[in-house]
């Protein structure tokens, strides 16, 4: 598969002199078209910052960012889904999904069609006229995902999107995300501190930890489907946890 994005030797520091703080150091990452990669690490390890570097929202202090995604009319090369759906309370569901399409030079008819298609993908068409406060937490996250899908990104970045949800809703959305990934063929980079979630969703897991944060290891998950009851899942979770403990990091996870 073709590599569509690559980070080489990424370092990031804030401040100057004695106040300078190194956040990331020597990080390498490559993303293949259509792949599903998870980044696992403790809170504060720079996982979210790495996504912002990839999106060119934060300039690295060292290293190179190379994104091989063509610019196409009416599309964005990348879209980011947050832990908090960050919906606009004064817009209905359809209006929130349409927000990311504004400024892309699309006609009203094209925007309406994109919004409908995205809401169909996340099974929220029947709630298109509702206000954000009328939705459950899981439904709000679906709207946030639909907003990202509507811009038809080649690369979908997800920053702990299910972290604030209850266990049952989180498991449901994990299954829905996998189904959507299979149907759309999107390249997904998924950030989480949940080892179990990373193993269940991804084909490849990158562990980052330390201060400054560095890549501590890369792990391939078993062939799909990934079953939570598979002993290989338990062994892989134990390997990842051991790698984090080598660096003095502990992450709670459930199997």
């Amino acid at each position: 598969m073709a590599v569509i994005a690559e980070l080489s030797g990424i370092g990031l520091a804030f401040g100057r002199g004695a106040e300078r703080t190194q956040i990331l150091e020597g990080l390498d990452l490559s993303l293949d078209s259509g792949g599903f990669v998870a980044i696992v690490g403790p809170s504060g390890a720079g996982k979210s910052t790495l996504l912002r570097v990839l999106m060119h929202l934060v300039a690295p202090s060292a290293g190179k960012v190379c994104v091989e995604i063509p610019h196409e009319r009416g599309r964005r090369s990348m879209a980011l889904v947050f832990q908090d759906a960050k919906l606009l309370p004064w817009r209905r569901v359809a209006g929130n999904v349409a927000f990311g399409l504004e400024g892309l030079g699309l006609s009203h008819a094209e925007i309406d069609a994109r919004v409908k298609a995205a809401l169909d993908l996340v099974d929220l068409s029947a709630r298109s006229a509702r206000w954000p406060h009328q939705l459950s937490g899981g439904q709000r996250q679906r709207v946030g995902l639909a907003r990202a899908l509507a811009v038809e990104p080649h690369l979908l970045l997800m920053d702990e999107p299910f972290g604030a949800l209850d266990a049952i809703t989180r498991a449901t959305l994990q299954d829905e995300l996998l189904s959507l990934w299979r149907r759309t063929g999107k390249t997904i980079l998924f950030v989480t501190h949940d080892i179990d979630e990373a193993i269940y969703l991804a084909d490849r897991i990158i562990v980052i930890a330390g201060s400054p944060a560095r890549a501590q290891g890369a792990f391939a998950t078993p062939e799909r489907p990934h079953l939570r009851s598979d002993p290989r899942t338990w062994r892989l979770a134990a390997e990842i946890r051991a790698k984090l403990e080598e660096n003095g990091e502990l992450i709670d996870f459930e199997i």
Side-chain angles (χ1 to χ4, degrees):
M1 290 185 289
V3 174
I4 67 168
E6 190 167 18
L7 304 178
S8 303
I10 294 298
L12 181 65
F14 296 119
R16 295 182 178 181
E19 300 298 322
R20 185 177 177 84
T21 301
Q22 191 77 26
I23 307 298
L24 303 172
E25 187 170 79
L27 267 169
D28 298 325
L29 174 67
S30 65
L31 300 174
D32 294 332
S33 177
F36 198 135
V37 176
I39 297 177
V40 171
S43 297
K47 303 185 301 296
S48 299
T49 302
L50 189 61
L51 295 185
R52 284 152 180 78
V53 169
L54 184 57
M55 292 191 75
H56 300 289
L57 298 176
V58 176
S61 308
K64 181 180 179 182
V65 180
C66 182
V67 179
E68 298 290 342
I69 299 176
H71 292 283
E72 301 174 33
R73 177 191 173 275
R75 298 184 70 173
R76 299 190 190 278
S77 58
M78 291 178 271
L80 177 60
V81 180
F82 302 92
Q83 180 175 353
D84 179 343
K86 297 187 182 300
L87 302 184
L88 304 175
W90 58 87
R91 287 192 176 211
R92 297 179 188 269
V93 165
N96 269 281
V97 176
F99 181 72
L101 295 169
E102 296 168 4
L104 292 182
L106 300 172
S107 67
H108 290 301
E110 287 175 314
I111 290 175
D112 289 344
R114 291 271 199 98
V115 169
K116 182 181 184 306
L119 287 173
D120 284 344
L121 278 173
V122 299
D123 197 25
L124 277 181
S125 293
R127 293 173 172 80
S128 63
R130 292 195 179 183
W131 298 100
H133 73 268
Q134 295 175 312
L135 304 176
S136 67
Q139 289 169 343
R140 287 194 291 272
Q141 283 304 99
R142 287 189 180 94
V143 176
L145 179 56
R147 182 175 55 199
L149 293 171
V151 303
E152 298 183 354
H154 293 273
L155 175 56
L156 184 61
L157 307 176
M158 308 191 75
D159 190 3
E160 302 197 44
F162 309 144
L165 302 175
D166 64 85
I168 294 174
T169 303
R170 186 167 67 244
T172 299
L173 289 184
Q174 288 169 354
D175 288 337
E176 291 181 3
L177 177 60
L178 285 175
S179 176
L180 187 149
W181 172 63
R182 294 186 189 104
R183 283 181 285 152
T184 64
K186 298 291 184 192
T187 306
I188 297 179
L189 180 59
F190 190 100
V191 161
T192 181
H193 63 267
D194 186 326
I195 297 171
D196 180 34
E197 180 173 64
I199 295 172
Y200 186 66
L201 292 175
D203 294 315
R204 184 161 55 100
I205 299 171
I206 309 299
V207 176
I208 69 171
S211 182
R214 301 177 177 85
Q216 304 295 341
F219 300 83
T221 54
E223 64 272 14
R224 295 185 185 275
H226 298 165
L227 304 178
R228 302 181 196 276
S229 58
D230 190 334
R232 292 174 299 176
T233 297
W234 306 340
R235 289 194 292 270
L236 180 55
E239 286 181 41
I240 294 173
R241 185 174 177 84
K243 178 61 66 174
L244 288 162
E245 289 176 344
E246 284 177 15
N247 294 276
E249 306 284 2
L250 293 175
I251 296 182
D252 294 329
F253 66 97
E254 299 176 356
I255 295 293

